[in-house]
Amino acid sequence: MFAKKQWIFWLSVWLLLVLLFSTSLNGFIVSTYFVTLLMPIVIATSVFFNRFLVPRYLLQNRKWTFSLYFFYMLVVSIYLELLVMVLAFVILADYQIDNLGKIAGDIYLLTLILYLVVLVEGLVLSIQKLKENAKRIEEIELQLVKHRREEITIRCNRKNVLLKLFNIQFIESLGDYVKVHAKDRTYTTKEKISTFEGRLPDSFIRIHRSFLVNKDHVDFFNKEVVNVGDKELPIGRKYKKSASEALQASLIA
C-alpha cells in the first residue's frame, strides 16, 4: 500500500512539472522530455533528504553533521540540474538559449522547485507516519483494555453469566452456537466465535476455525495439535503459522 502511494505521489509530481514547464518550453512534448530528465534528480534528492538525512541526523540532534551533508546534497543537486540544463540546451533547445524559456533556463528557480518537492514529500511522509503511530497507539490501548478485563459476560440459558477469564480453558464453535469450556463446567451460548475473538485478550489464541484456546491452560503443543487438560485440539491449516508463533512467544515470555 505504501509503495502504491509513493508511485501515485511521484506520478502526480511528474504530471504537475510537465504542466508547469510546458508554458516555458513551448509544448508538452518538450516539457515531457525535460521533466523526465529532471525527475531522477528530484526523486534521489528527496529520498536522500527525507529517508537518510532527516531521520539519521536531524532527528538525532546531530545538527552539524546534518548541515554538512545538506550542503553537499545542495551542491550535487545543483550540479546535476546544470547538467540537465546543458542536455536540454543541446538536445531540446537546439543550442538556442531562448528556447529553454524562463523556468527551465533559471537554475535558481529549478533549485527552488526541486526543494519545494522535497519538502512536500517530507510533509506527506510525516502525515503518513503520524497516522501509523496513531493506529499503533490505538491498537496498544485496545490491548491494554483487553488485558485489564478480568471477566467476560456471556448469555447462557437466558441469563447473563459472568466468567473469570483465567477459568476459561478453550472456546469451541459448533455451527450455530459456541461452547465455553471452563474449569468447572461448560457454558453454551449463541454468540459467534469471531465475536469472542474480538472481545478477548491476546492470551486467547485462534488455532482453528472452531477453536480458541487460553494459552495459560496449554499443557503442550506441536504443529498439528494443542493439548488443553485432557482435550487434544487440532490446529487448522489456515492458523498453523500464526498459532505456532503465538504459542512459541508465550513460552519465551
Side-chain angles (χ1 to χ4, degrees), residues 10-28:
W10 286 117
L11 181 60
S12 301
V13 169
W14 182 82
L15 288 172
L16 286 172
L17 290 180
V18 168
L19 290 172
L20 177 65
F21 286 107
S22 65
T23 59
S24 174
L25 292 169
N26 301 319
F28 286 102

Side-chain angles (χ1 to χ4, degrees), residues 47 107 112 145 162 176 205 228 233 235:
V47 168
I107 187 62
L112 179 63
V145 170
L162 195 63
D176 296 333
I205 302 168
V228 179
L233 309 176
I235 297 178

Side-chain angles (χ1 to χ4, degrees), residues 138-195:
E138 184 179 347
E139 290 173 353
I140 292 171
E141 288 177 344
L142 180 61
Q143 290 302 322
L144 287 173
V145 170
K146 286 183 177 180
H147 280 294
R148 282 197 294 265
R149 188 189 299 140
E150 297 179 353
E151 299 170 330
I152 190 171
T153 303
I154 65 170
R155 188 73 175 173
C156 181
N157 295 327
R158 299 181 182 179
K159 296 178 182 178
N160 292 323
V161 180
L162 195 63
L163 296 179
K164 299 287 185 182
L165 290 183
F166 63 81
N167 279 333
I168 300 175
Q169 295 178 308
F170 66 95
I171 297 170
E172 180 182 9
S173 175
L174 295 169
D176 296 333
Y177 59 96
V178 166
K179 283 188 175 182
V180 180
H181 297 266
K183 284 183 178 181
D184 53 350
R185 56 169 288 188
T186 298
Y187 301 86
T188 302
T189 178
K190 282 284 188 179
E191 288 192 69
K192 295 181 179 179
I193 195 169
S194 56
T195 304

Side-chain angles (χ1 to χ4, degrees), residues 84-246:
V84 168
M85 287 176 63
V86 171
L87 289 173
F89 174 68
V90 174
I91 300 171
L92 302 178
D94 195 24
Y95 296 95
Q96 301 296 318
I97 191 66
D98 291 339
N99 291 340
L100 279 180
K102 182 179 179 181
I103 299 177
D106 190 334
I107 187 62
Y108 299 107
L109 195 53
L110 273 181
T111 303
L112 179 63
I113 292 171
L114 185 151
Y115 282 95
L116 180 61
V117 173
V118 170
L119 291 175
V120 169
E121 203 223 357
L123 179 61
V124 171
L125 289 174
S126 298
I127 293 172
Q128 289 176 342
K129 200 70 177 177
L130 286 172
K131 288 182 178 179
E132 289 173 3
N133 290 339
K135 185 178 180 181
R136 193 173 295 115
I137 291 171
E138 184 179 347
E139 290 173 353
I140 292 171
E141 288 177 344
L142 180 61
Q143 290 302 322
L144 287 173
V145 170
K146 286 183 177 180
H147 280 294
R148 282 197 294 265
R149 188 189 299 140
E150 297 179 353
E151 299 170 330
I152 190 171
T153 303
I154 65 170
R155 188 73 175 173
C156 181
N157 295 327
R158 299 181 182 179
K159 296 178 182 178
N160 292 323
V161 180
L162 195 63
L163 296 179
K164 299 287 185 182
L165 290 183
F166 63 81
N167 279 333
I168 300 175
Q169 295 178 308
F170 66 95
I171 297 170
E172 180 182 9
S173 175
L174 295 169
D176 296 333
Y177 59 96
V178 166
K179 283 188 175 182
V180 180
H181 297 266
K183 284 183 178 181
D184 53 350
R185 56 169 288 188
T186 298
Y187 301 86
T188 302
T189 178
K190 282 284 188 179
E191 288 192 69
K192 295 181 179 179
I193 195 169
S194 56
T195 304
F196 273 101
E197 188 176 10
R199 294 171 61 194
L200 294 170
D202 287 344
S203 55
F204 286 82
I205 302 168
R206 188 75 175 266
I207 64 166
H208 191 277
R209 64 192 299 268
S210 300
F211 292 105
L212 265 170
V213 299
N214 186 345
K215 66 182 182 182
D216 295 329
H217 290 281
V218 173
D219 296 317
F220 63 87
F221 65 92
N222 56 34
K223 293 182 179 180
E224 305 296 330
V225 296
V226 173
N227 271 70
V228 179
D230 59 350
K231 300 289 185 180
E232 188 175 85
L233 309 176
I235 297 178
R237 184 179 300 176
K238 177 182 176 181
Y239 299 94
K240 275 189 177 181
K241 183 178 178 181
S242 59
S244 296
E245 289 176 353

